[in-house]
Short mmCIF file of all heavy atoms in Angstrom, two decimals:
data_model
loop_
_atom_site.label_atom_id
_atom_site.label_comp_id
_atom_site.label_asym_id
_atom_site.label_seq_id
_atom_site.Cartn_x
_atom_site.Cartn_y
_atom_site.Cartn_z
N GLN A 1 111.74 124.15 148.52
CA GLN A 1 112.72 124.63 149.48
C GLN A 1 112.21 124.54 150.89
O GLN A 1 111.03 124.91 151.16
CB GLN A 1 113.20 126.03 149.14
CG GLN A 1 113.90 126.08 147.78
CD GLN A 1 114.39 127.48 147.45
OE1 GLN A 1 114.71 128.27 148.31
NE2 GLN A 1 114.43 127.75 146.15
N ALA A 2 113.02 124.07 151.80
CA ALA A 2 112.62 123.93 153.20
C ALA A 2 112.22 125.23 153.85
O ALA A 2 111.29 125.29 154.61
CB ALA A 2 113.74 123.28 154.02
N GLU A 3 112.90 126.32 153.51
CA GLU A 3 112.64 127.59 154.15
C GLU A 3 111.18 128.14 153.89
O GLU A 3 110.71 128.92 154.62
CB GLU A 3 113.67 128.67 153.73
CG GLU A 3 113.56 129.12 152.29
CD GLU A 3 114.60 130.13 151.94
OE1 GLU A 3 114.50 131.32 152.28
OE2 GLU A 3 115.63 129.70 151.31
N TYR A 4 110.58 127.63 152.84
CA TYR A 4 109.19 127.99 152.54
C TYR A 4 108.18 126.93 152.98
O TYR A 4 107.00 126.99 152.66
CB TYR A 4 109.03 128.23 151.04
CG TYR A 4 109.94 129.33 150.51
CD1 TYR A 4 111.03 129.07 149.77
CD2 TYR A 4 109.69 130.68 150.87
CE1 TYR A 4 111.88 130.07 149.27
CE2 TYR A 4 110.54 131.68 150.44
CZ TYR A 4 111.63 131.36 149.62
OH TYR A 4 112.44 132.38 149.18
N GLY A 5 108.66 125.91 153.67
CA GLY A 5 107.78 124.83 154.14
C GLY A 5 107.29 123.94 153.02
O GLY A 5 106.27 123.28 153.15
N GLU A 6 108.09 123.86 151.95
CA GLU A 6 107.69 123.05 150.77
C GLU A 6 108.24 121.63 150.82
O GLU A 6 107.81 120.77 150.09
CB GLU A 6 108.20 123.71 149.52
CG GLU A 6 107.62 125.10 149.33
CD GLU A 6 108.35 126.00 148.36
OE1 GLU A 6 109.49 125.66 147.98
OE2 GLU A 6 107.82 127.06 148.01
N HIS A 7 109.21 121.40 151.70
CA HIS A 7 109.82 120.09 151.88
C HIS A 7 110.55 120.08 153.20
O HIS A 7 110.70 121.10 153.84
CB HIS A 7 110.79 119.77 150.73
CG HIS A 7 110.65 118.35 150.26
ND1 HIS A 7 110.79 117.24 151.11
CD2 HIS A 7 110.40 117.83 149.04
CE1 HIS A 7 110.64 116.16 150.41
NE2 HIS A 7 110.41 116.47 149.18
N VAL A 8 110.96 118.88 153.61
CA VAL A 8 111.59 118.73 154.94
C VAL A 8 113.04 119.22 154.95
O VAL A 8 113.60 119.48 155.99
CB VAL A 8 111.52 117.23 155.44
CG1 VAL A 8 110.09 116.84 155.64
CG2 VAL A 8 112.23 116.33 154.42
N ASN A 9 113.68 119.26 153.76
CA ASN A 9 115.06 119.74 153.63
C ASN A 9 115.26 120.26 152.22
O ASN A 9 114.27 120.36 151.45
CB ASN A 9 116.06 118.62 153.99
CG ASN A 9 115.92 117.41 153.11
OD1 ASN A 9 115.56 117.53 151.92
ND2 ASN A 9 116.25 116.25 153.62
N ASN A 10 116.48 120.59 151.87
CA ASN A 10 116.73 121.16 150.54
C ASN A 10 117.38 120.17 149.57
O ASN A 10 118.11 120.56 148.69
CB ASN A 10 117.63 122.40 150.68
CG ASN A 10 116.85 123.59 151.15
OD1 ASN A 10 115.66 123.75 150.85
ND2 ASN A 10 117.46 124.45 151.95
N HIS A 11 117.03 118.89 149.72
CA HIS A 11 117.61 117.92 148.79
C HIS A 11 117.23 118.19 147.31
O HIS A 11 118.03 117.92 146.46
CB HIS A 11 117.24 116.48 149.22
CG HIS A 11 115.80 116.10 148.94
ND1 HIS A 11 114.79 116.43 149.77
CD2 HIS A 11 115.29 115.48 147.87
CE1 HIS A 11 113.64 116.00 149.27
NE2 HIS A 11 113.90 115.40 148.13
N GLN A 12 116.06 118.76 147.08
CA GLN A 12 115.71 119.06 145.71
C GLN A 12 116.59 120.15 145.09
O GLN A 12 117.00 120.08 143.95
CB GLN A 12 114.23 119.46 145.57
CG GLN A 12 113.27 118.34 145.67
CD GLN A 12 111.86 118.70 145.20
OE1 GLN A 12 111.57 119.82 144.79
NE2 GLN A 12 110.96 117.70 145.26
N VAL A 13 116.92 121.16 145.94
CA VAL A 13 117.81 122.22 145.51
C VAL A 13 119.17 121.62 145.14
O VAL A 13 119.75 121.92 144.04
CB VAL A 13 117.98 123.32 146.56
CG1 VAL A 13 119.04 124.34 146.16
CG2 VAL A 13 116.67 124.01 146.85
N GLU A 14 119.71 120.80 146.01
CA GLU A 14 120.99 120.18 145.75
C GLU A 14 121.00 119.28 144.54
O GLU A 14 121.93 119.33 143.72
CB GLU A 14 121.42 119.39 147.00
CG GLU A 14 121.68 120.27 148.19
CD GLU A 14 121.71 119.48 149.52
OE1 GLU A 14 121.79 118.23 149.50
OE2 GLU A 14 121.73 120.16 150.57
N PHE A 15 119.94 118.51 144.36
CA PHE A 15 119.82 117.61 143.20
C PHE A 15 119.72 118.39 141.93
O PHE A 15 120.41 118.12 140.92
CB PHE A 15 118.59 116.69 143.39
CG PHE A 15 118.51 115.64 142.30
CD1 PHE A 15 119.45 114.62 142.24
CD2 PHE A 15 117.54 115.68 141.35
CE1 PHE A 15 119.39 113.64 141.25
CE2 PHE A 15 117.45 114.74 140.37
CZ PHE A 15 118.39 113.71 140.32
N VAL A 16 118.89 119.46 141.90
CA VAL A 16 118.74 120.30 140.69
C VAL A 16 120.05 121.00 140.36
O VAL A 16 120.43 121.05 139.20
CB VAL A 16 117.58 121.30 140.89
CG1 VAL A 16 117.57 122.36 139.78
CG2 VAL A 16 116.26 120.56 140.93
N GLU A 17 120.76 121.46 141.39
CA GLU A 17 122.06 122.14 141.10
C GLU A 17 123.02 121.13 140.46
O GLU A 17 123.72 121.46 139.49
CB GLU A 17 122.69 122.65 142.43
CG GLU A 17 122.05 123.92 142.92
CD GLU A 17 122.56 124.31 144.32
OE1 GLU A 17 123.18 123.49 145.03
OE2 GLU A 17 122.31 125.48 144.68
N ASN A 18 123.02 119.89 140.94
CA ASN A 18 123.94 118.87 140.44
C ASN A 18 123.54 118.55 139.00
O ASN A 18 124.49 118.48 138.13
CB ASN A 18 123.79 117.61 141.29
CG ASN A 18 125.11 117.15 141.83
OD1 ASN A 18 126.10 117.29 141.15
ND2 ASN A 18 125.09 116.59 143.00
N VAL A 19 122.33 118.27 138.69
CA VAL A 19 121.88 117.95 137.34
C VAL A 19 122.17 119.10 136.39
O VAL A 19 122.66 118.89 135.30
CB VAL A 19 120.41 117.54 137.30
CG1 VAL A 19 119.92 117.40 135.91
CG2 VAL A 19 120.19 116.23 138.08
N SER A 20 121.88 120.29 136.83
CA SER A 20 122.09 121.47 136.01
C SER A 20 123.56 121.66 135.63
O SER A 20 123.88 121.89 134.46
CB SER A 20 121.57 122.74 136.69
OG SER A 20 121.78 123.85 135.94
N LYS A 21 124.41 121.48 136.61
CA LYS A 21 125.85 121.67 136.37
C LYS A 21 126.45 120.54 135.53
O LYS A 21 127.26 120.75 134.60
CB LYS A 21 126.62 121.77 137.67
CG LYS A 21 126.43 123.09 138.38
CD LYS A 21 127.13 123.13 139.75
CE LYS A 21 126.75 124.41 140.49
NZ LYS A 21 127.10 124.34 141.89
N ARG A 22 126.04 119.30 135.86
CA ARG A 22 126.64 118.15 135.16
C ARG A 22 126.06 117.90 133.78
O ARG A 22 126.81 117.53 132.85
CB ARG A 22 126.48 116.89 136.02
CG ARG A 22 127.33 116.90 137.20
CD ARG A 22 127.15 115.62 137.99
NE ARG A 22 128.01 115.66 139.19
CZ ARG A 22 128.45 114.58 139.78
NH1 ARG A 22 128.08 113.40 139.36
NH2 ARG A 22 129.19 114.70 140.82
N MET A 23 124.74 118.10 133.65
CA MET A 23 124.11 117.70 132.41
C MET A 23 123.70 118.94 131.57
O MET A 23 123.68 118.83 130.34
CB MET A 23 122.84 116.89 132.68
CG MET A 23 123.16 115.58 133.47
SD MET A 23 124.25 114.47 132.66
CE MET A 23 123.28 113.95 131.28
N GLY A 24 123.34 120.01 132.19
CA GLY A 24 122.89 121.18 131.43
C GLY A 24 121.64 121.00 130.62
O GLY A 24 121.43 121.67 129.61
N THR A 25 120.78 120.08 131.04
CA THR A 25 119.57 119.73 130.26
C THR A 25 118.31 120.25 130.86
O THR A 25 117.21 119.90 130.39
CB THR A 25 119.47 118.19 130.10
OG1 THR A 25 119.54 117.60 131.39
CG2 THR A 25 120.62 117.67 129.24
N ILE A 26 118.40 121.03 131.92
CA ILE A 26 117.23 121.61 132.56
C ILE A 26 117.45 123.09 132.77
O ILE A 26 118.58 123.56 132.72
CB ILE A 26 116.91 120.93 133.91
CG1 ILE A 26 118.08 121.15 134.92
CG2 ILE A 26 116.60 119.48 133.77
CD1 ILE A 26 117.78 120.67 136.35
N ILE A 27 116.36 123.85 132.98
CA ILE A 27 116.44 125.25 133.29
C ILE A 27 116.08 125.38 134.77
O ILE A 27 114.88 125.28 135.14
CB ILE A 27 115.49 126.08 132.40
CG1 ILE A 27 115.86 125.90 130.92
CG2 ILE A 27 115.54 127.54 132.84
CD1 ILE A 27 114.87 126.48 129.98
N PRO A 28 117.04 125.53 135.67
CA PRO A 28 116.72 125.64 137.09
C PRO A 28 116.25 127.06 137.47
O PRO A 28 116.72 128.02 136.93
CB PRO A 28 118.05 125.32 137.75
CG PRO A 28 119.11 125.79 136.75
CD PRO A 28 118.47 125.56 135.40
N VAL A 29 115.29 127.09 138.36
CA VAL A 29 114.78 128.36 138.90
C VAL A 29 114.75 128.22 140.42
O VAL A 29 113.91 127.48 140.95
CB VAL A 29 113.37 128.70 138.36
CG1 VAL A 29 112.82 129.95 139.05
CG2 VAL A 29 113.40 128.87 136.86
N TYR A 30 115.68 128.86 141.10
CA TYR A 30 115.77 128.77 142.55
C TYR A 30 115.00 129.93 143.19
O TYR A 30 114.38 129.75 144.26
CB TYR A 30 117.21 128.79 143.00
CG TYR A 30 118.08 127.73 142.34
CD1 TYR A 30 118.93 128.05 141.29
CD2 TYR A 30 117.93 126.41 142.69
CE1 TYR A 30 119.64 127.05 140.63
CE2 TYR A 30 118.66 125.42 142.06
CZ TYR A 30 119.53 125.75 141.04
OH TYR A 30 120.26 124.76 140.40
N ASP A 31 115.05 131.09 142.60
CA ASP A 31 114.33 132.29 143.08
C ASP A 31 113.09 132.44 142.26
O ASP A 31 113.17 132.60 141.00
CB ASP A 31 115.24 133.52 142.95
CG ASP A 31 114.62 134.79 143.50
OD1 ASP A 31 113.37 134.84 143.60
OD2 ASP A 31 115.38 135.70 143.80
N ILE A 32 111.91 132.39 142.88
CA ILE A 32 110.66 132.43 142.10
C ILE A 32 110.55 133.68 141.27
O ILE A 32 109.83 133.67 140.24
CB ILE A 32 109.43 132.25 143.05
CG1 ILE A 32 108.23 131.64 142.32
CG2 ILE A 32 109.08 133.52 143.78
CD1 ILE A 32 108.43 130.23 141.87
N ALA A 33 111.25 134.76 141.61
CA ALA A 33 111.23 135.96 140.79
C ALA A 33 111.86 135.74 139.40
O ALA A 33 111.58 136.46 138.47
CB ALA A 33 111.96 137.09 141.52
N ASP A 34 112.68 134.70 139.29
CA ASP A 34 113.30 134.37 138.00
C ASP A 34 112.43 133.52 137.10
O ASP A 34 112.79 133.22 135.96
CB ASP A 34 114.63 133.66 138.25
CG ASP A 34 115.64 134.51 138.98
OD1 ASP A 34 115.55 135.75 138.87
OD2 ASP A 34 116.48 133.96 139.70
N LEU A 35 111.27 133.06 137.61
CA LEU A 35 110.39 132.24 136.80
C LEU A 35 109.90 132.96 135.56
O LEU A 35 109.83 132.35 134.50
CB LEU A 35 109.24 131.74 137.68
CG LEU A 35 108.26 130.77 137.00
CD1 LEU A 35 108.96 129.48 136.62
CD2 LEU A 35 107.11 130.42 137.95
N ARG A 36 109.53 134.21 135.73
CA ARG A 36 109.05 135.00 134.56
C ARG A 36 110.06 134.93 133.45
O ARG A 36 109.72 134.68 132.30
CB ARG A 36 108.78 136.43 134.99
CG ARG A 36 108.42 137.34 133.82
CD ARG A 36 108.28 138.75 134.24
NE ARG A 36 107.99 139.60 133.10
CZ ARG A 36 107.88 140.85 133.13
NH1 ARG A 36 107.99 141.55 134.26
NH2 ARG A 36 107.65 141.55 132.03
N ASN A 37 111.33 135.18 133.71
CA ASN A 37 112.36 135.17 132.69
C ASN A 37 112.44 133.80 132.04
O ASN A 37 112.55 133.67 130.81
CB ASN A 37 113.70 135.59 133.25
CG ASN A 37 114.78 135.58 132.21
OD1 ASN A 37 114.70 136.24 131.20
ND2 ASN A 37 115.82 134.74 132.41
N ALA A 38 112.46 132.74 132.88
CA ALA A 38 112.60 131.38 132.34
C ALA A 38 111.45 131.02 131.35
O ALA A 38 111.68 130.38 130.38
CB ALA A 38 112.63 130.38 133.51
N VAL A 39 110.23 131.47 131.69
CA VAL A 39 109.10 131.13 130.87
C VAL A 39 109.04 132.08 129.63
O VAL A 39 108.84 131.64 128.51
CB VAL A 39 107.77 131.20 131.66
CG1 VAL A 39 106.56 130.99 130.76
CG2 VAL A 39 107.82 130.16 132.77
N CYS A 40 109.15 133.39 129.86
CA CYS A 40 108.99 134.34 128.81
C CYS A 40 110.14 134.30 127.79
O CYS A 40 109.95 134.62 126.60
CB CYS A 40 108.83 135.75 129.35
SG CYS A 40 107.30 135.97 130.35
N ASN A 41 111.29 133.83 128.21
CA ASN A 41 112.45 133.74 127.31
C ASN A 41 112.88 132.29 127.08
O ASN A 41 114.01 132.02 126.71
CB ASN A 41 113.61 134.53 127.90
CG ASN A 41 113.30 136.01 127.98
OD1 ASN A 41 112.87 136.64 126.97
ND2 ASN A 41 113.35 136.58 129.16
N TYR A 42 111.91 131.37 127.23
CA TYR A 42 112.22 129.95 127.16
C TYR A 42 112.91 129.58 125.84
O TYR A 42 113.94 128.89 125.86
CB TYR A 42 110.90 129.17 127.30
CG TYR A 42 111.08 127.67 127.22
CD1 TYR A 42 111.51 126.96 128.30
CD2 TYR A 42 110.82 126.98 126.03
CE1 TYR A 42 111.67 125.58 128.25
CE2 TYR A 42 110.98 125.63 125.97
CZ TYR A 42 111.40 124.90 127.07
OH TYR A 42 111.58 123.55 126.99
N ASP A 43 112.39 129.98 124.72
CA ASP A 43 112.94 129.60 123.43
C ASP A 43 114.36 130.08 123.26
O ASP A 43 115.22 129.37 122.75
CB ASP A 43 112.06 130.06 122.29
CG ASP A 43 110.68 129.36 122.26
OD1 ASP A 43 110.64 128.22 122.66
OD2 ASP A 43 109.71 130.02 121.87
N THR A 44 114.63 131.29 123.70
CA THR A 44 115.99 131.85 123.64
C THR A 44 116.92 131.10 124.53
O THR A 44 118.07 130.75 124.16
CB THR A 44 116.00 133.32 124.02
OG1 THR A 44 115.08 134.03 123.12
CG2 THR A 44 117.38 133.94 123.91
N ILE A 45 116.48 130.77 125.74
CA ILE A 45 117.30 130.06 126.70
C ILE A 45 117.69 128.68 126.19
O ILE A 45 118.87 128.33 126.21
CB ILE A 45 116.61 129.92 128.06
CG1 ILE A 45 116.49 131.31 128.73
CG2 ILE A 45 117.35 128.98 129.01
CD1 ILE A 45 115.54 131.34 129.94
N ILE A 46 116.70 127.94 125.69
CA ILE A 46 117.07 126.58 125.19
C ILE A 46 117.92 126.60 123.94
O ILE A 46 118.69 125.70 123.71
CB ILE A 46 115.83 125.66 125.01
CG1 ILE A 46 114.86 126.16 123.96
CG2 ILE A 46 115.14 125.42 126.33
CD1 ILE A 46 113.82 125.13 123.58
N SER A 47 117.80 127.69 123.12
CA SER A 47 118.62 127.75 121.95
C SER A 47 120.08 128.01 122.27
O SER A 47 120.95 127.76 121.46
CB SER A 47 118.08 128.81 120.99
OG SER A 47 118.37 130.11 121.48
N THR A 48 120.33 128.53 123.44
CA THR A 48 121.74 128.85 123.82
C THR A 48 122.34 127.77 124.75
O THR A 48 123.51 127.88 125.11
CB THR A 48 121.82 130.19 124.54
OG1 THR A 48 121.02 130.15 125.75
CG2 THR A 48 121.33 131.34 123.68
#
């Protein structure tokens, strides 16, 4: 994300949102505080 100085703009955010909505084949994490849930509950998330 650009706001953290990680890239020049937010094209990765936009691309990930698009892929997530259209394909549903990835687990997006926009807020780093949500990373714990994504990793610790990975098996449950992918099963649903």
Side-chain angles (χ1 to χ4, degrees):
Q1 296 181 30
E3 71 182 281
Y4 301 108
E6 299 161 348
H7 221 304
V8 296
N9 59 31
N10 283 328
H11 72 277
Q12 284 195 0
V13 173
E14 294 164 12
F15 187 69
V16 168
E17 284 174 344
N18 235 326
V19 170
S20 179
K21 286 176 188 167
R22 289 181 180 205
M23 302 300 292
T25 54
I26 62 174
I27 301 170
V29 173
Y30 306 103
D31 182 339
I32 205 69
D34 297 333
L35 184 61
R36 173 184 177 184
N37 179 60
V39 175
C40 295
N41 296 306
Y42 179 81
D43 293 328
T44 302
I45 293 167
I46 62 169
S47 73
T48 61

